[in-house]
Amino acid sequence: MTTDIAGLPTNLREGLRRAALDVPHRGIAIFDGRGRSCDRRSYGELYRLACDSAARFAGLGIGRDEPVLVALPTSWEWMEAWFGLLLRGAWPVASSGAGAMAAAEAQFEKVDKVMAAIGARHVVASDAFQAQAAAQGFGFAREGVVTCERLHAAAPAAGDGALGHSDGGDVAFLQLTSGSTGVPRAVMITHQGAIHNPVASDEAIGAPFGEPMHRLTESMVSWLPLYHDMGLIGCLMLPLLCGLDTWLLRPETFLARPRLWLEHLGGHGGSFAPAPNFGYQLCVERISADKREGLDLSLWRAALTGAEMVRPETTGAFSAAFEPHGFRPEAFRPCYGLAEGTLAVTFDVEGSGVRTRPAPRGTDAGFAMTEVVSTGVPIRDTRVRIAAPDGGGLPEGEIGEVCIKGPGVFRGYYGDPEATAAVLRDGWFATGDLGFLEGGELYLTGRTKDLLIVHGHNIMPDEIERIADSVTGGGGLMRSAAFSVARGAAGEQAVVVVEIADHDPGRLAEIGHEIRVRIGRAMGLPVADLLFVRRGRIPRTTSGKMQRGELRQRYLDGTLERLHVHDPAGRAPAQEPSR
């Protein structure tokens, strides 16, 4: 199976057909909820299943270029629905199902809002999803849910007319953004982008070894959700287009038993696998020394880390914990990507592990940021520039907004031309991320929308959060979040919210005092309010990123349930600000 850039298939339907013909011995294995037994099928079986589903979707009246949500867990039902819609010529929209990463009601509300925003008539979901949504009064549950049973019972449309015919520049599917603020936007991904990006990524991953990664391995193992771009493109499309086996764990299985991911990596010859920073942190926290026995990570040549800020302390802790079991620290490969770029933008191609450099001086770098991580160089045919606030380019070493251009850049936000025009100009996408270039490599320092502007200074919330986490030992499932609020003539002031398992009021007072002292010492920044909440109270996106804007609004609304803190000095806790 060829994956040369010049010989790529013209659309994803052709890509799936080629996989079925060229690598009939390869396919997808999906583990059950316990992460032990799996259901494996070849790419040929997937192609036949998708063709059948496409005809049945056509029989249900679902047309071409019609957005349809797929709110199913990682399963063969998901494959049947998503690829069936793709082959039909409709636009599948992968969405988290009920209870995926948040409370069920919140997920139903999200599905409802997304469907309204993009004008979707249908969502493919389970019987339980439909019943629960109906019980809670969501209107889409009456006619808009296509259950697997309903799909299988549908009469297939006759002939090849049920299959769509697409060119490389046509929209293939819609990818929901992480939704850090408000309702997630639907990113229009083209066939060209969805094919070029994973193949160029395969080339970049294999760069330190002198050839594309698919020539050096037979499989990969992933737990990443398929409704996230890293899971969909990096862990499904890349293996399919490059002729590899892929072994998929459910995200909730990994969260409950992270050792299974590492165990299957060793057992199925996985030479590369991606995860966000918190995934590696979870392995460190949840897999004790005695539970690491028997793991063999010696074949793991590329441990990709992206999707959120790469923390050297996390990669260092992971290396220390698992190096005795064959893991090599140089296997860590930081990368940068986002949904609007299809997925990957830059990769570390040195293959020498996490590399850092001192943070540039200046307020835009964040007062407490002492080192930043290289995320590597742009993938093939992709360009990165750093823009000043006026849109002009900046020289190397200066921090500005990261802008990208290339085959993977999205067509626009579906149904939102104003939002598209605000970030997409002449093929360049303004990402909203801050960073700088040095030696052609990209270093990230934060996001423009997450800046705290306190006393005239620009402050990155990541740095405040890192200090708070250093006191509590957080950074994995329990995190801290920082944002600013306006307080009349005093202007914007910093607020820190800390998730914690310790609920003792006296102990919380001591921890809070230590956090304030450390932030003051490191950044010269007074904290206007610091509150403790139970684990899971900080809202996150489906990919695990903190929703600082949503948290700030809950704080302003007074709906955050703070834990009681006993101050021995008798001082009352700071009051929540008025709006």
Side-chain angles (χ1 to χ4, degrees):
M1 183 177 185
T2 179
T3 55
D4 294 335
I5 296 291
L8 293 180
T10 57
N11 57 57
L12 287 175
R13 176 188 174 186
E14 177 63 17
L16 178 56
R17 191 184 72 85
R18 283 197 198 180
L21 294 174
D22 295 349
V23 285
H25 56 298
R26 302 293 188 200
I28 301 169
I30 302 176
F31 289 96
D32 63 10
R34 295 181 65 251
R36 292 301 182 187
S37 63
C38 64
D39 184 0
R40 184 188 183 280
R41 305 185 194 183
S42 69
Y43 289 128
E45 291 175 289
L46 174 59
Y47 182 67
R48 292 188 292 273
L49 185 68
C51 288
D52 179 71
S53 294
R56 295 182 188 279
F57 278 124
L60 289 172
I62 291 175
R64 296 179 179 133
D65 298 345
E66 176 180 348
V68 180
L69 267 68
V70 178
L72 291 164
T74 299
S75 59
W76 274 102
E77 287 78 13
W78 188 97
M79 300 290 168
E80 180 181 12
W82 197 90
F83 281 100
L85 289 165
L86 182 78
L87 266 58
R88 168 65 184 132
W91 294 339
V93 189
S95 174
S96 55
M101 296 287 281
E105 185 175 0
Q107 294 298 332
F108 294 137
E109 186 175 349
K110 176 184 174 182
V111 167
D112 191 45
K113 289 181 177 179
V114 170
M115 290 180 70
I118 65 176
R121 298 184 300 147
H122 299 287
V123 53
V124 185
S126 66
D127 292 332
F129 180 99
Q130 182 180 38
Q132 292 178 50
Q136 295 188 31
F138 287 94
F140 67 80
R142 290 192 297 272
E143 299 291 338
V145 178
V146 177
T147 64
C148 298
E149 182 179 355
R150 180 181 172 189
L151 177 62
H152 294 157
D160 191 52
L163 301 182
H165 300 278
S166 304
D167 294 325
D170 293 338
V171 173
F173 59 90
L174 305 183
Q175 175 68 48
L176 297 180
T177 64
S178 294
S180 297
T181 54
V183 178
R185 291 193 176 104
V187 174
M188 293 188 285
I189 301 297
T190 66
H191 286 271
Q192 176 192 39
I195 293 170
H196 180 282
N197 197 269
V199 172
S201 298
D202 173 59
E203 180 183 77
I205 296 167
F209 315 112
E211 52 186 331
M213 199 65 196
H214 76 271
R215 295 179 184 168
L216 303 168
T217 188
E218 297 181 351
S219 67
M220 72 175 302
V221 181
S222 171
W223 56 268
L224 296 171
L226 297 175
Y227 50 79
H228 187 257
D229 51 317
M230 184 183 275
L232 178 62
I233 301 298
C235 304
L236 185 60
M237 292 303 174
L238 190 157
L240 187 153
L241 292 167
C242 296
L244 299 174
D245 282 318
T246 185
W247 303 77
L248 300 177
L249 283 164
R250 294 182 180 179
E252 58 271 24
T253 303
F254 168 76
L255 293 175
R257 300 179 64 190
R259 187 188 190 280
L260 286 171
W261 179 45
L262 305 184
E263 181 182 317
H264 288 309
L265 264 172
H268 295 293
S271 295
F272 74 106
N277 190 87
F278 89 87
Y280 295 105
Q281 181 70 29
L282 189 66
C283 289
V284 173
E285 294 178 357
R286 290 286 189 87
I287 308 175
S288 57
D290 60 310
K291 292 181 180 178
R292 297 171 198 152
E293 295 302 322
L295 290 175
D296 180 6
L297 304 179
S298 60
L299 294 179
W300 200 357
R301 305 177 74 176
L304 311 175
T305 175
E308 60 179 351
M309 282 286 189
V310 179
R311 297 192 175 196
E313 57 267 40
T314 293
T315 55
F318 186 92
S319 296
F322 295 100
E323 195 169 1
H325 305 280
F327 183 79
R328 294 181 292 273
E330 60 269 23
F332 268 121
R333 303 279 299 283
C335 51
Y336 167 66
L338 67 175
E340 289 90 344
T342 300
L343 175 61
V345 175
T346 66
F347 270 100
D348 171 84
V349 296
E350 295 295 319
S352 57
V354 175
R355 294 175 292 114
T356 65
R357 60 140 292 161
R361 297 191 179 190
T363 56
D364 286 344
F367 292 115
M369 187 176 290
T370 59
E371 58 179 0
V372 286
V373 174
S374 168
T375 62
V377 297
I379 62 173
R380 180 193 282 248
D381 303 323
T382 299
R383 297 163 60 193
V384 173
R385 66 187 289 265
I386 305 299
D390 63 2
L394 291 172
E396 286 204 346
E398 292 195 26
I399 294 174
E401 185 172 13
V402 179
C403 299
I404 65 173
K405 187 175 188 178
V409 171
F410 72 135
R411 175 73 64 79
Y413 296 114
Y414 181 64
D416 199 339
E418 291 185 5
T420 300
V423 297
L424 199 58
R425 297 186 183 92
D426 299 323
W428 284 96
F429 169 58
T431 66
D433 290 317
L434 291 174
F436 64 92
L437 291 170
E438 184 172 287
E441 296 187 328
L442 176 65
Y443 293 79
L444 298 175
T445 61
R447 281 190 57 82
T448 56
K449 294 180 180 178
D450 285 338
L451 281 173
L452 284 76
I453 305 177
V454 181
H455 299 164
H457 299 298
N458 293 346
I459 301 168
M460 302 299 177
D462 307 77
E463 301 311 310
I464 302 174
E465 293 156 5
R466 184 176 302 181
I467 294 170
D469 287 343
S470 72
V471 177
T472 63
L477 289 179
M478 290 183 289
R479 299 291 294 271
S480 302
F483 53 89
S484 62
V485 295
R487 284 190 164 175
E492 293 189 20
Q493 297 187 352
V495 175
V496 181
V497 180
V498 181
E499 290 180 343
I500 198 162
D502 191 339
H503 299 164
D504 177 73
R507 177 63 182 146
L508 293 182
E510 295 175 0
I511 295 172
H513 175 72
E514 181 64 20
I515 291 174
R516 289 177 182 273
V517 168
R518 290 197 191 183
I519 292 174
R521 286 176 179 171
M523 308 180 69
L525 176 71
V527 176
D529 196 5
L530 189 151
L531 59 153
F532 295 97
V533 297
R534 298 176 187 276
R535 177 178 137 186
R537 293 301 190 267
I538 293 177
R540 293 171 172 78
T541 68
T542 56
S543 62
K545 295 179 182 178
M546 286 185 292
Q547 295 176 299
R548 295 187 183 95
E550 173 66 19
L551 180 64
R552 178 181 182 274
Q553 191 58 53
R554 293 184 188 180
Y555 175 82
L556 292 171
D557 293 341
T559 57
L560 273 179
E561 183 182 348
R562 64 168 75 200
L563 297 172
H564 177 67
V565 177
H566 173 64
D567 189 338
R571 294 168 297 190
Q575 297 298 309
E576 293 174 359
S578 57
R579 280 173 285 180

